């Protein structure tokens, strides 16, 4: 069997993969030649398309001999036997990995142009190449897909040597290979047109697929398709998914993202009470877990403000891709520090991709100290009058903030605002702050 070109190969493969349509697969092309093949499969299955980026880790003195591979999201696959036989020490391994990680990041930025990686956790991953010769790259790719959480890994290729194909049947959940010629010397001999695929073609095919599928990934819905209810939020390039609860009143002028504090979650009764008050005022809200249950067991993660801020920023980008409108932050305790840090990373007004407003409840802005001067979003600091230590920290933070700032002290309130009426006062203050700063943004031309 010979193929006219990669488009022809992709269309023929798509016919053999039709049974996967109901599994809502993610199609992953190995750049560069595998992507035109994968695009045709994704188009036929109405599935999201992404590149699966892997870099071989070669023995320092014999680069062609791979001792493992790395993929996005921190995935590393290493053959302990080859490491041992090659006498590679930890320093050598780390040096090789650093170099390949840099190239991996460069490829990701170039091919995706800022789009996040499509999450694989719980999905069927269809790994596609334009053919297999030795199988080294494809082997690394299927291992990376599995390590990134794919529930099933399917390898789809137009052509491969018989022995290589047989080896892969034991490595993947399903192998679809159209041709296994007994005499095989190179993949290109089985194509009439096997011209080189350029980076620009890969980028264009990814862009076209994103437009076709409206970026329908595991988070639920593409641009303009957000709906009230539970959501799954991919962060760290899709390597981690966080649980969230989204409420979208009709005609909401903006959306308030909650960043909870240490020892808390999206189920915090205090944050949920404030969220209900904001919803009653017509504002949309998103409460989500900054950490997974496993991550929460390490208390150091709770106070790692910069990584938490990065996650908050990723979630904000996820919302903006779905036309959520202006975004505000409501942070509590250590979550307030993450909110301020994330706001500092997004300077400018909401029309320029910045944050419309920030409210801190009993916050620890001191933990965002290095970034306070970079915050441009109007910021309201709400503190209990009896919370002496935190009140002092907020007074100092207010002096460092260069944006529009107000410090509101709720009389008779301690740190958790458990006293009667004090949490209602917080909700009223937050509502007025957000609506006051969202209305101009929402009505701007």
């Amino acid at each position: 069997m010979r193929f006219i070109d990669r488009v022809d190969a992709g269309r023929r493969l798509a016919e053999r993969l039709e049974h996967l349509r109901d599994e809502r697969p993610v199609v992953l092309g190995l750049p560069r030649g595998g992507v035109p093949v994968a695009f045709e499969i994704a188009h036929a299955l109405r599935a999201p398309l992404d590149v699966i980026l892997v870099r071989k880790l070669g023995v320092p003195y014999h680069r062609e001999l791979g001792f493992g591979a790395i993929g996005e999201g921190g995935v590393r696959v290493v053959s302990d036997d080859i490491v041992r036989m090659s006498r590679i020490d930890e320093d050598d391994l780390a040096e090789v990995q650093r170099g390949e990680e840099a190239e991996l990041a460069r490829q990701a930025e170039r091919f995706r142009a800022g789009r996040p990686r499509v999450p694989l956790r719980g999905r069927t991953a269809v790994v596609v190449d334009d053919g297999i010769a030795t199988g080294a790259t494809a082997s690394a790719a299927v291992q990376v897909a599995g390590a990134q959480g794919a529930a099933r890994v399917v390898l789809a290729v137009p052509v491969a040597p018989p022995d290589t194909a047989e080896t892969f049947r034991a490595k993947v959940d399903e192998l679809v290979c159209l041709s296994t010629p007994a005499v095989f010397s190179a993949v290109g001999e089985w194509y009439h047109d096997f011209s080189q695929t350029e980076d620009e073609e890969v980028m264009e095919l990814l862009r076209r697929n994103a437009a076709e599928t409206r970026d329908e990934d595991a988070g639920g819905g593409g641009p303009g398709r957000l709906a009230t209810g539970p959501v799954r939020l991919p962060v760290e390039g899709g390597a981690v998914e966080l649980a969230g609860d989204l409420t979208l009143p009709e005609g909401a002028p903006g959306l308030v993202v909650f960043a909870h504090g240490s020892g808390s979650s999206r189920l915090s009764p205090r944050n949920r009470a404030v969220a209900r008050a904001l919803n009653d005022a017509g504002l949309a809200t998103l409460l989500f877990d900054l950490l997974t249950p496993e991550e929460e067991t390490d208390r150091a993660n709770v106070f790692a403000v910069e990584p938490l801020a990065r996650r908050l920023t990723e979630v904000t980008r996820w919302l903006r891709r779905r036309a959520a409108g202006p975004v505000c932050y409501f942070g509590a305790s250590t979550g307030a520090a993450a909110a301020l840090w994330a706001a500092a990373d997004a300077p400018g007004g909401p029309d320029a991709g910045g944050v419309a407003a920030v409210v801190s409840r009993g916050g620890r802005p001191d933990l965002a100290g290095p970034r306070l001067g970079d915050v441009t979003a109007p910021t309201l600091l709400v503190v209990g009058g009896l919370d002496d230590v935190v009140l002092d920290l907020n007074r100092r933070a207010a002096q460092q903030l260069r944006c529009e700032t107000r410090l509101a002290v709720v009389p008779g309130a301690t740190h958790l605002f458990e006293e009667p009426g004090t949490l209602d006062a917080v909700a009223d203050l937050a509502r007025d702050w957000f609506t006051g700063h969202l209305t101009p943004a929402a009505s701007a031309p």
Side-chain angles (χ1 to χ4, degrees):
M1 179 184 293
R2 290 182 185 272
F3 305 97
I4 299 171
D5 53 19
R6 293 181 178 90
V7 172
D8 175 48
R11 290 174 178 172
R12 293 201 211 181
L13 272 173
E15 294 176 2
R16 292 278 299 274
L17 294 165
E18 182 63 32
H19 64 286
L20 297 178
R21 181 189 291 269
D22 292 339
E23 296 185 27
R24 295 180 61 246
V26 176
V27 180
L28 304 166
L30 276 157
R32 292 184 295 261
V35 176
V37 183
F39 176 81
E40 298 301 325
I41 295 170
H43 177 75
L45 299 182
R46 301 184 60 146
L49 170 68
D50 200 356
V51 285
I52 183 161
L53 299 174
V54 297
R55 297 292 300 175
K56 182 176 72 174
L57 300 175
V59 174
Y61 55 83
H62 185 16
R63 289 289 186 175
E64 291 303 309
L65 176 61
F67 64 84
I70 58 171
E72 293 175 278
V75 173
R76 185 178 76 167
V77 179
V78 172
S79 169
D80 293 331
D81 289 341
I82 295 178
V83 169
R84 186 169 48 254
M85 289 187 297
S86 303
R87 301 181 184 276
I88 306 171
D89 61 29
E90 286 297 325
D91 290 341
D92 290 338
L93 192 154
E95 183 179 354
V96 171
Q97 182 167 333
R98 278 194 299 271
E100 297 303 337
E101 283 174 343
E103 179 59 19
L104 199 68
R106 187 198 69 79
Q107 288 186 349
E109 178 61 29
R110 177 159 178 75
F111 289 139
R112 296 201 185 95
R115 289 187 299 270
R117 177 165 58 84
V118 178
L120 301 185
R121 189 168 301 281
R123 304 285 292 272
T124 294
V126 184
V127 178
V128 181
D129 205 354
D130 54 11
I132 295 177
T134 65
T137 305
S139 180
V142 298
Q143 290 181 74
V144 166
Q148 288 175 352
R152 284 197 343 116
V153 178
V154 178
L155 177 62
V157 293
V159 61
D163 55 344
T164 303
E166 193 60 33
T167 299
F168 271 102
R169 292 187 195 282
K171 292 184 177 182
V172 296
D173 296 292
E174 183 178 350
L175 172 69
V176 177
C177 181
L178 301 180
S179 179
T180 54
V183 179
F184 187 104
S185 58
V187 170
E189 67 179 325
W190 302 101
Y191 286 82
H192 292 292
D193 178 2
F194 197 64
S195 54
Q196 183 172 324
T197 303
E198 301 295 337
D199 284 0
E200 289 71 18
E201 181 180 355
V202 172
M203 295 157 62
E204 173 62 15
L205 292 175
L206 291 172
R207 187 198 64 76
R208 284 174 54 190
N209 174 267
E212 287 181 4
T213 62
R214 297 183 63 81
D215 206 17
E216 291 179 349
D217 60 29
R225 297 184 63 179
L226 287 173
T228 293
V231 289
R232 301 295 295 180
L233 305 163
V235 296
E236 297 185 9
V240 177
E241 282 192 345
L242 304 174
D245 294 321
L246 183 65
T247 302
L248 287 174
E250 185 70 25
L255 189 149
V256 180
V257 180
F258 281 69
H260 59 74
S262 58
S264 186
S265 72
R266 73 187 191 285
L267 304 178
S268 161
R270 286 174 290 279
N271 281 349
R272 294 184 84 84
V274 174
R276 283 193 297 271
L278 298 181
N279 297 151
D280 290 343
L283 297 173
T285 57
L286 172 66
L287 294 98
F288 76 102
D289 294 338
L290 282 164
L291 299 169
T292 66
E294 296 77 16
E295 290 169 337
E296 287 175 349
T297 60
D298 185 349
R299 291 291 294 172
N301 290 329
V302 173
F303 294 93
V305 173
E306 185 174 0
L308 296 180
R310 284 199 298 268
R311 288 190 172 184
L312 185 55
T313 297
E314 285 192 76
V315 168
T316 303
R317 289 173 180 162
W318 185 89
L319 290 167
R320 287 203 172 101
R321 289 196 303 276
R322 287 151 180 81
V327 174
C328 303
Y329 292 153
F330 181 98
S333 189
T334 53
L340 288 166
W341 197 298
D345 285 341
D351 292 338
V355 177
V358 177
V359 172
S360 162
R361 171 182 67 80
R364 289 289 309 276
D366 55 299
L367 297 177
R371 302 306 310 277
L372 289 178
D374 298 323
V375 177
T376 59
T379 299
L380 173 66
L381 306 173
V382 184
V383 188
L386 302 180
D387 193 5
D388 295 335
V389 174
V390 173
L391 179 55
D392 182 57
L393 292 172
N394 277 260
R395 283 174 174 150
R396 296 181 186 180
Q399 295 174 351
Q400 297 178 58
L401 288 164
R402 299 174 184 173
C403 55
E404 178 188 347
T405 306
R406 178 187 168 198
L407 175 62
V409 180
V410 178
T414 53
H415 185 62
L416 296 180
F417 297 87
E418 296 174 306
E419 296 74 22
T422 57
L423 192 60
D424 291 336
V426 172
D428 291 344
L429 287 163
R431 178 200 61 213
D432 293 346
W433 190 260
F434 288 135
T435 56
H437 289 88
L438 279 171
T439 304
S443 61

